[in-house]
Amino acid sequence: MSAPPIVEFRAVAKRFGEGPLVLDGVSFGAQRGDFVSIIGPSGCGKSTLLRLLAGLSPITAGELRVEGRTPEAAATDIAFVFQEPTLLPWLNVAHNVEIPQKLRGVPATERSATSHRVLDLVRLGEKARAYPRQLSGGQKMRVSIARALALAPKILLLDEPFGALDEMTRERLNEELLAIRQQEAWTAFFVTHSVAEAVFLSNRILVMSANPGRLHTEIAVPLPYPRTLETRLSPAFHELVARTSRLLRSVADGAA
Amino acid sequence: MLRTFLKIFLPAVTGAVVVAIWFGVNAGLSSDRRFLLPSPTAVLNAFIEHRATLAHAAWNTSQGALLGFGLAIAVSALTSYLLSLSPLVRSSLYPFLMALQLTPLPILAPICVIWVGAGLKSVALLTFVIAFFPLVVNTTQGLISTDRNLVELFGLYRASRWNQFMHLRVPAALPYFFTGLRIAATLAPIGAVVADMNAGSSAGDGGGLGFQAVIFSSQAKYPALFATAAATCILGFIFNAVVLALAWFALHHWHDSYERTDK
Ligand SMILES: Nc1ncnc2c1ncn2[C@@H]1O[C@H](COP(=O)(O)OP(=O)(O)OP(=O)(O)O)[C@@H](O)[C@H]1O
Ligand SMILES: [Mg+2]
């Protein structure tokens, strides 16, 4: 038997108030170090799944365990990167990165040591004194990722973090994200609409169907890490992208 | 370079044109009607002649205006906090704040005099009334308009209500607060002068610019009346300049309204 999963969904269901079921019968386990991408038609409940995992919203039925605890109890192990960079415009980059620690009462010297470290990780060390409005979209997103890493999370949730960026920037950031993961061993849940991005980043892809949101299929991505530009050019990569795209299309058509 | 030059040059040209027209109109009036618009030199001379009186009156008015303005900032900060707590609090308090703002100053003035007596206290209280409303409306709006994504972020960090208020809602409300402050800074000196005309007192040399205007007018010293108007303007300019400087200091690092458009 393998180690106990770091995250486990057992027949999880979710509805908001008296509304229809948004998620139904969602079951899966993630192992420590997994990079799980979640794809599916718009409105199928991907963001909701992450929000349940972050303890931002309660589950309606079933069971959800994070390291054997409820998501609420495991909150300090989890960091979330939203689609928007959500930086505080009145704080400079370093202070933005320090805000989660500041809210937890971490002393200033320790905070600035952390912000140095994580800003170097995202290669923005020289922008520490800049204000968010002076940054490009990609740089803002890197600050947002650095801020998430500042709490040394065990689990990193990312909800379409690169959705608003151009293709080139997105690919660069994908590579950087994997490079950071070499140094920081978190487990990732990554929501995206880009099949190529999902294949490039993850070792597992969960394909969801809509109305209500269910796990349709899981696709394993056996490409070896570290992944580079060569990975993107390899036939195995293209074959996986094609297979996943076809599956996603059939799921979307099935729902329509 | 050219931009900086134009920024100084154009207002100077406007000023020169206004003064020229002023001279022209004055010269065009028949001598028995010239009192309607004293010439710029007559006003300047009156200003110099009465400078001690005017400075003293301006000082008295400034005290009233500053006291009222400061009180308005403090009370509006507290009130805005209360109003930001729930829509219910807002709907139950707004009509009465409105009523306060809609009652004209000359009607409130005698009421103030009954309560706290004529003079500085009344002037400060009336200035408070006029400066309070724009401050409270804008600051409250700022406190309740916090970006929902940022509120969600703070929820993710399990930030306490207090931390959310201090580290998120207050800084996010600053631009709104300064909008209110700029309006209040325009109203406060005017309010103080009008209050002084209606509830001022010259007892103990306490008369302000409003009081002085009434005196000059009754004595038919028209150039001095115009000089008093100029003194009021200068006071207003100082108030506004200080507030603009404060706003710049607090916001220029980060707020889009201070974005430089030149390359
Ligand atoms: N707070 C909420 N209250 C009520 N319904 C909600 C709430 N949040 C999400 N929903 C509903 O749940 C469903 C799933 O939403 P969710 O945002 O999880 O979808 P998604 O898969 O992330 O979509 P997208 O790809 O467009 O981001 C939608 O039908 C949405 O209307
Ligand atoms: Mg979503």
Side-chain angles (χ1 to χ4, degrees):
Chain A
M1 278 304 289
S2 54
I6 184 166
V7 168
E8 187 164 29
F9 284 74
R10 272 192 231 126
V12 168
K14 173 69 185 176
R15 70 167 88 238
F16 291 97
E18 297 300 305
L21 272 180
V22 170
L23 291 174
D24 189 25
V26 174
S27 297
F28 74 94
Q31 299 299 323
R32 208 170 296 274
D34 269 348
F35 200 119
V36 182
S37 282
I38 302 165
I39 58 175
S42 182
C44 71
K46 304 180 294 293
S47 298
T48 305
L49 197 82
L50 292 195
R51 293 172 54 80
L52 296 181
L53 197 42
L56 287 174
S57 181
I59 61 174
T60 307
E63 202 180 354
L64 173 51
R65 293 272 142 191
V66 179
E67 294 222 278
R69 293 172 291 173
T70 63
E72 264 298 323
T76 51
D77 290 338
I78 298 176
F80 206 134
V81 178
F82 298 107
Q83 176 164 13
E84 303 289 322
T86 58
L87 304 179
L88 304 181
W90 52 86
L91 295 183
N92 67 28
V93 164
H95 289 147
N96 260 291
V97 170
E98 291 173 27
I99 198 82
Q101 289 190 313
K102 185 165 189 173
L103 292 173
R104 289 198 184 153
V106 175
T109 46
E110 191 177 327
R111 291 204 305 262
S112 77
T114 308
S115 73
H116 266 106
R117 183 177 64 79
V118 293
L119 283 175
D120 282 344
L121 274 180
V122 298
R123 303 192 299 118
L124 274 180
E126 78 283 9
K127 291 283 186 191
R129 301 264 153 263
Y131 282 81
R133 71 164 184 200
Q134 299 166 312
L135 303 180
S136 71
Q139 289 172 330
K140 282 183 200 162
M141 213 57 232
R142 275 146 70 185
V143 176
S144 183
I145 290 170
R147 181 180 61 193
L149 297 177
L151 288 174
K154 294 189 179 142
I155 298 167
L156 190 58
L157 310 177
L158 305 105
D159 192 354
E160 297 185 47
F162 308 136
L165 304 177
D166 64 275
E167 182 100 10
M168 280 275 281
T169 311
R170 173 190 280 235
E171 290 184 358
R172 282 296 281 271
L173 287 173
N174 284 171
E175 284 155 33
E176 280 183 26
L177 192 63
L178 287 185
I180 294 168
R181 205 170 70 109
Q182 303 277 10
Q183 306 172 48
E184 310 233 317
W186 22 264
T187 305
F189 288 84
F190 191 100
V191 170
T192 178
H193 279 125
S194 157
V195 171
E197 185 173 56
V199 172
F200 183 75
L201 290 172
S202 25
N203 61 327
R204 303 168 64 183
I205 299 174
L206 302 178
V207 181
M208 291 180 66
S209 57
N211 298 318
R214 295 174 189 275
L215 289 190
H216 184 275
T217 314
E218 176 173 341
I219 297 175
V221 183
L223 304 173
Y225 292 96
R227 297 179 184 171
T228 60
L229 183 61
E230 291 309 311
T231 313
R232 278 187 211 285
L233 302 175
S234 70
F237 178 80
H238 285 285
E239 200 271 320
L240 275 160
V241 170
R243 186 151 71 86
T244 311
S245 298
R246 270 196 294 275
L247 186 67
L248 187 60
R249 175 59 67 88
S250 77
V251 166
D253 288 348
Chain B
M1 195 46 212
L2 180 69
R3 187 181 291 257
T4 322
F5 173 73
L6 285 178
K7 249 182 169 167
I8 297 165
F9 182 70
L10 289 180
V13 168
T14 317
V17 168
V18 168
V19 170
I21 293 174
W22 184 358
F23 266 117
V25 172
N26 174 264
L29 289 168
S30 58
S31 56
D32 57 327
R33 297 177 50 122
R34 200 156 282 173
F35 71 91
L36 288 175
L37 184 67
S39 76
T41 41
V43 172
L44 193 64
N45 285 335
F47 198 97
I48 293 166
E49 183 193 336
H50 297 286
R51 64 181 180 281
T53 315
L54 286 176
H56 186 72
W59 169 238
N60 283 336
T61 298
S62 308
Q63 281 180 312
L66 271 177
L67 270 176
F69 192 56
L71 195 66
I73 293 173
V75 176
S76 72
L78 204 68
T79 314
S80 304
Y81 169 70
L82 292 175
L83 289 171
S84 75
L85 292 178
S86 93
L88 268 169
V89 181
R90 283 197 286 287
S91 50
S92 47
L93 284 184
Y94 259 145
F96 301 99
L97 297 179
M98 260 319 244
L100 200 61
Q101 178 71 9
L102 290 175
T103 317
L105 217 51
I107 296 177
L108 283 177
I111 301 177
C112 266
V113 173
I114 301 170
W115 286 350
V116 298
L120 180 64
K121 279 188 205 160
S122 268
V123 173
L125 200 58
L126 290 165
T127 308
F128 162 79
V129 169
I130 204 167
F132 178 71
F133 193 71
L135 275 167
V136 84
V137 168
N138 281 286
T139 310
T140 306
Q141 190 63 36
L143 288 174
I144 63 176
S145 305
T146 320
D147 186 338
R148 292 189 51 180
N149 291 326
L150 296 181
V151 174
E152 172 127 88
L153 184 78
F154 273 59
L156 193 69
Y157 298 141
R158 310 301 193 265
S160 64
R161 269 189 88 91
W162 173 249
N163 271 341
Q164 193 194 81
F165 187 72
M166 289 310 290
H167 293 293
L168 179 57
R169 291 199 187 271
V170 168
L174 275 185
Y176 293 83
F177 165 74
F178 277 109
T179 303
L181 199 67
R182 281 162 69 167
I183 300 171
T186 314
L187 294 176
I190 299 173
V193 170
V194 175
D196 191 47
M197 293 178 101
N198 291 281
S201 155
S202 62
D205 258 353
L209 288 169
F211 209 87
Q212 205 54 52
V214 176
I215 292 173
F216 284 142
S217 157
S218 67
Q219 293 170 339
K221 288 184 178 167
Y222 299 116
L225 185 60
F226 276 80
T228 312
T232 338
C233 276
I234 293 170
L235 192 62
F237 264 118
I238 294 174
F239 253 76
N240 276 283
V242 170
V243 165
L244 283 178
L246 286 177
W248 182 86
F249 209 72
L251 302 179
H252 79 281
H253 278 306
W254 65 275
H255 198 252
D256 286 341
S257 60
Y258 292 89
E259 186 80 75
R260 292 173 54 152
T261 45
D262 47 7
K263 296 296 177 294

